[in-house]
Amino acid sequence: MLAIPMFRIPDVNDTTSQLPPSQNAPVAASLLLACSAAGDLQATLQILNAVYYGTKVHNMPKAAEIARLFTPKDISDCRKMLEQLAEGKDGKPGATGDANAMTLHGKFLELAGNREEARYFYEKALGRYDTKVWRGYPHPMALPWLTPWTELVSLEEASPTPSVEKMTEALKFGALKADDPMAYYKLATLQDSKTSEWLTYMSKAAASGHPEAMFKLGQFYHEVQAQPSNFSKNTGFKKALNFITSWRRNAAADFGKEWLNAAATGGHKPAMMEMAQIYERNKQEDQAKSCLEAVVIAPPNGIPEEWPHLVMQAKQRLAALQSTRRQLA
């Protein structure tokens, strides 16, 4: 699929304006359209994922850039092809098409207000989803593909009476069979309280790089350090935590700090604030200052600030630190 990486070829920065505009993107768009018209799944998904992710709510400039290359008729033709790929040879009854096509088709149906039809395709996609990893599929430079368990859970959460059972079933597929970190995290959040299952799911999500899971896990181990008796009474927890609590004093707190630091390094501002507090308690003012300064940095590319209240708190604490230093000078 040559067309997908062609979108990533940077244009020459011609300050003299003597070179003609690059044709990489238009040629790539033409190739994608031709492949989609021939029934190619990856081409169809790339075009329509660009349309989906290109809206302001997703803040994906590259997707918006790709989407602008296609006319309304192009998009309409791709939508028809997507429907064919989703429904399969038999058409709608039984829906025997590709699971990835079903998921994106379901998303467009959901956005159009047809929630029940969307649910039908999400559920069908979940049943037909191939969890095997195929080299080069999807293309590593392709826009992200939607997953049926994520969309099914999102749809269920938005319903008047969400079913935890249905969400759990979908997420267990995504987590235990497809090894999706987000599914592990969501599965952990559905637990009534912190249990050994919660720890297993949250640890898996954190180990896969999920920043919020890292943060939650860091907080959890600090709770274990502060109140070990609350967790030692639970047989499942006792077994899971034995390797942490038995080999070194304050090991749980140190482990929690490592997870918080990992989350902070990944740009998670609540974790940065927690790390700043830890450094302040340990009289490590320079490290605390660095964490607080990282919190106040604005997100790139005009992305809205996710934690404006933390930015305000960080500014206040930076001012307090600076004031204290002046008094001591």
Side-chain angles (χ1 to χ4, degrees):
M1 181 57 70
L2 176 63
I4 292 177
M6 282 184 69
F7 285 111
R8 303 288 182 175
I9 300 175
D11 290 339
V12 175
N13 186 13
D14 179 25
T15 56
T16 64
S17 300
Q18 294 180 355
L19 293 175
S22 170
Q23 294 301 304
N24 289 327
V27 169
S30 297
L31 288 172
L32 283 179
L33 279 174
C35 291
S36 177
D40 184 83
L41 174 68
Q42 291 211 65
T44 305
L45 291 180
Q46 180 73 357
I47 294 170
L48 294 179
N49 274 328
V51 173
Y52 172 66
Y53 288 118
T55 57
K56 288 184 178 180
V57 68
H58 295 290
N59 195 45
M60 292 180 65
K62 192 63 184 179
E65 180 184 324
I66 295 173
R68 284 193 291 269
L69 295 168
F70 302 100
T71 66
K73 183 182 182 305
D74 293 335
I75 295 170
S76 176
D77 290 342
C78 288
R79 287 285 303 275
K80 291 175 183 176
M81 179 54 67
L82 179 69
E83 185 175 2
Q84 292 178 30
L85 292 169
E87 293 184 350
K89 295 180 180 179
D90 300 330
K92 169 72 171 6
T96 58
D98 179 84
N100 297 291
M102 288 180 178
T103 306
L104 186 55
H105 182 51
K107 173 54 74 175
F108 283 121
L109 288 170
E110 181 185 350
L111 292 173
N114 197 340
R115 296 171 59 84
E116 289 309 309
E117 192 75 359
R119 182 187 296 276
Y120 170 84
F121 278 101
Y122 292 155
E123 290 177 346
K124 282 289 184 181
L126 198 65
R128 295 181 61 81
Y129 194 86
D130 186 357
T131 58
K132 292 181 181 178
V133 177
W134 299 96
R135 186 175 182 181
Y137 186 86
H139 194 286
M141 291 187 180
L143 293 169
W145 289 9
L146 301 178
T147 56
W149 53 88
T150 302
E151 300 312 317
L152 196 54
V153 168
S154 177
L155 186 69
E156 192 64 37
E157 286 177 329
S159 68
T161 55
S163 169
V164 175
E165 183 180 352
K166 288 182 179 179
M167 289 191 288
T168 300
E169 182 182 358
L171 288 170
K172 280 189 174 180
F173 179 92
L176 305 180
K177 293 187 178 181
D179 201 31
D180 177 19
M182 180 61 78
Y184 274 111
Y185 174 73
K186 291 285 289 184
L187 196 55
T189 62
L190 288 180
Q191 306 301 306
D192 292 333
S193 60
K194 289 186 176 69
T195 62
S196 57
E197 288 79 14
W198 177 93
L199 181 58
T200 298
Y201 298 146
M202 197 64 78
S203 297
K204 182 68 176 180
S208 299
H210 192 291
E212 185 68 20
M214 294 178 186
F215 176 62
K216 297 288 187 186
L217 209 55
Q219 289 184 315
F220 167 75
Y221 282 113
H222 276 91
E223 289 180 35
V224 172
Q225 183 67 48
Q227 298 176 315
S229 60
N230 290 351
F231 302 94
S232 60
K233 296 174 184 177
N234 184 304
T235 305
F237 262 139
K238 187 175 182 179
K239 183 178 180 181
L241 296 173
N242 185 57
F243 80 102
I244 287 291
T245 57
S246 62
W247 67 284
R248 183 164 62 86
R249 186 180 180 184
N250 296 328
D254 291 342
F255 202 46
K257 183 180 176 181
E258 289 179 14
W259 279 118
L260 288 174
N261 188 52
T265 302
H268 192 272
K269 292 190 176 182
M272 294 178 191
M273 292 294 284
E274 290 272 356
M275 288 301 299
Q277 290 178 356
I278 292 172
Y279 286 133
E280 285 182 37
R281 287 197 298 268
N282 294 334
K283 308 299 182 184
Q284 296 172 287
E285 290 188 1
D286 289 339
Q287 290 90 331
K289 182 172 177 287
S290 296
C291 288
L292 294 172
E293 287 174 341
V295 173
V296 302
I297 295 175
N301 300 324
I303 298 174
E305 175 58 62
E306 188 175 354
W307 299 284
H309 63 291
L310 293 183
V311 173
M312 183 64 67
Q313 290 177 22
K315 289 179 178 179
Q316 292 171 351
R317 287 167 65 179
L318 279 170
L321 280 175
Q322 191 173 6
S323 176
T324 302
R325 286 187 173 185
R326 280 200 298 263
Q327 291 174 6
L328 295 175

